[in-house]
Every structure is written in structure tokens, then in C-alpha cells.
Amino acid sequence: MSSDTLDAPAVAPPGAPDGAVPRIVPRRRTGQWAAAVLVLALAALAVTSVVRNPAFQWDVVADYFLTGAVLRGLWLTLWLTAVVMVLGFALGTLLAVLRLSGNPVLRGVARGYVWLFRSMPILVQLLFWFNIGALYPVVLGVRTVDLLGPVAVAVIGLTLHEAAYAAEVVRGGVLSVDKGQVEAAQSLGLGRWRRLRRIVLPQAMRSIVPPAGNMLIGTLKGTSIVSVIAVQDLLYSVQLVYHRTYEVVPLLLVATLWYVLVTSLLGVGQHYIERHYARGAAGVR
């Protein structure tokens, strides 16, 4: 029975004799309807002001949306996001295993890593790695400035940063698995690594996927920070264009629309992956 029916007052029909069965009258939701109309009206005004405002220069946005420079920047952004997520979760999974280890030294090292890289702003980390040549001018007989270009610095800095957060995501997912499952695997004689790979991680994925999906979307948007070290990602590509044409707003809209489009697609993919790993849970098919 719906909440409207539960809240509805029982009213006897007009002229009905005493003791007659009352009819159910749904409660009027005047305030809710008025609020909905007001919100829709404000949203329509906002959309209209954006679409009809000539200062946005939508014709310029359309001209640059699929240009080669923008698409090359988009491709580098997507590549950087994929590489950082794969390497970050690989290192993060190792750190999570170390934090759950029975060895206090390994636990301490993993805990210290997570503490350090979660404490440092990502911009500071990128600038530090970009200037690492001041500390180590030569590495393996090669000048550091020749060994670590801007893209390599971006990969290293973002990966180390993401690994600290991925470690906590994986650790939380592992801890969410019922201890009885682990004990059952132990009773079958499965080794530690096999228990982790075959029993624990598949069940932990239900808790890992939602925050991991959020991290993926956050990483995609966070890659825009590499523009400060001259990596030609999506944002840096449009900056190069508007520094030449002075059409700042429409070029920023080009970058914004691409970020919105890609994150929306990632959100759809996250929804289906979550539903896949949530099969068998209450209310999930």
C-alpha cells in the first residue's frame, strides 16, 4: 500500500447512513506540486539564459568541438586516466594486502605510504616530481630531465596519489567480506593468496566497485591539473587555442562538454558493473 493511501483520511460518502464504509480520499500534495513547478520554472529560465546568451558563442563551440587539437588532447586525457587507474589500483591492491598482513613492519610501511600521499596535495606532488632533477640530476647514468618528461611525471605523480586512495578502497572491500567465508576457505586447505584471489576479492568487488567508479571519474577530471606542467591534455589543448584566439569562454565550454560527456558514459558503465557484482543481494537482480 502506498504512503499516499496510508496518509489518506477516511471520509464517508455524502448522505451515507451512519456506519457506512468510508471511502479513501488521497491526501492533496499541494506544497509538493508547487515546489516542483517552481523548480522546473527556475531550471527552464537557467537553461534559456545559457542557450540564448550570445556571450557563450555556441557557434564557436561547435566549430572547435571536433577539431584535431581538441581530440588529441581528449585522447591523451583518456589514456592518462586509464594508465593511472590501472597502475594505481595495482599498487593500491598491494598496499592493501600489506596493511592486512600479520607482519607489523609491512603494515607500518603501507600505513606510512597511505598517510604521506593522502596528506600531500596532488598539485604539490606533481610540482615536486617535475623538479626532481634538482635533487637527483642523474639517474642510472641518464640526466633526469631527459629521463622524466612531462607525461612521465604526470603518470608517476597521479599514480602514487591514486594508489594511496585505492589501497583504502580495496582494504575496505576486503574487510567487508564475512569472516565465515575466509574460515570456510581455510578449512578447505586453500593458501592465503589463493583465498584472496578466489574467495575474498570476488566478494569484495561489490563494496569496491562504487568507490572505484567514483575514483575513475575523479581521476578523469583530476587529470586537468597536469596542464600546469605543460602536458597537452584536453584542458591544455583548449588553453593553447584560446591564448591565440582570445575566445576563452567558448573554448572552456568545449572542454566542459567533453568532460560531461565522458563522465556520463563512465557513470552508465559503473551502473551496470555495480549491478553485475550486486547480483544475489537483496532487491538486486
Side-chain angles (χ1 to χ4, degrees):
M1 185 176 295
S2 67
S3 60
D4 287 345
T5 304
L6 292 174
D7 294 339
V11 179
D18 294 340
V21 177
R23 61 189 177 91
I24 304 299
V25 179
R27 183 182 298 275
R28 289 187 176 89
R29 304 290 183 177
T30 307
Q32 291 185 4
W33 284 107
V37 171
L38 177 61
V39 170
L40 289 175
L42 292 176
L45 288 174
V47 172
T48 302
S49 69
V50 171
V51 173
R52 301 186 63 179
N53 189 341
F56 284 97
Q57 298 177 269
W58 291 107
D59 56 331
V60 178
V61 174
D63 290 339
Y64 283 102
F65 192 71
L66 295 175
T67 56
V70 171
L71 293 180
R72 285 192 295 272
L74 174 65
W75 166 249
L76 182 57
T77 293
L78 296 176
W79 177 85
L80 193 59
T81 301
V83 170
V84 167
M85 285 300 295
V86 171
L87 296 179
F89 262 88
L91 179 57
T93 301
L94 175 61
L95 290 169
V97 172
L98 295 181
R99 286 207 62 181
L100 297 172
S101 169
N103 189 319
V105 175
L106 297 180
R107 286 202 312 270
V109 170
R111 189 188 299 272
Y113 178 98
V114 172
W115 165 78
L116 177 63
F117 283 93
R118 288 176 65 186
S119 301
M120 295 174 60
I122 181 60
L123 179 57
V124 174
Q125 294 183 44
L126 285 176
L127 293 176
F128 178 84
W129 287 106
F130 191 70
N131 294 280
I132 194 67
L135 296 175
Y136 301 98
V138 178
V139 177
L140 300 177
V142 182
R143 295 174 57 201
T144 306
V145 293
D146 297 329
L147 186 64
L148 297 178
V151 175
V153 167
V155 171
I156 292 172
L158 292 175
T159 297
L160 295 177
H161 175 78
E162 292 298 315
Y165 290 90
E168 292 301 281
V169 169
V170 174
R171 186 174 71 92
V174 170
L175 292 176
S176 69
V177 177
D178 185 73
K179 291 184 178 180
Q181 298 288 327
V182 179
E183 293 172 355
Q186 288 176 329
S187 67
L188 294 175
L190 297 181
R192 179 180 177 83
W193 288 102
R194 193 175 180 188
R195 291 198 306 268
L196 181 67
R197 188 179 71 255
R198 301 293 298 274
I199 304 297
V200 177
L201 284 181
Q203 296 185 65
M205 289 300 292
R206 189 169 66 185
S207 299
I208 292 174
V209 168
N214 293 333
M215 281 185 58
L216 174 60
I217 293 174
T219 301
L220 173 72
K221 296 182 296 182
T223 55
S224 60
I225 202 170
V226 301
S227 60
V228 301
I229 57 174
V231 175
Q232 294 192 20
D233 68 321
L234 177 59
L235 178 60
Y236 191 79
S237 298
V238 300
Q239 286 177 329
L240 290 177
V241 176
Y242 72 60
H243 285 157
R244 186 179 69 251
T245 64
Y246 300 103
E247 295 169 322
V248 178
V249 172
L251 267 300
L252 289 178
L253 282 174
V254 169
T256 299
L257 291 175
W258 272 119
Y259 282 122
V260 170
L261 177 61
V262 176
T263 53
S264 299
L265 293 175
L266 292 177
V268 173
Q270 178 184 349
H271 166 73
Y272 284 103
I273 294 175
E274 287 182 14
R275 192 169 69 173
H276 169 76
Y277 283 106
R279 287 181 304 178
V284 180
R285 296 182 180 178

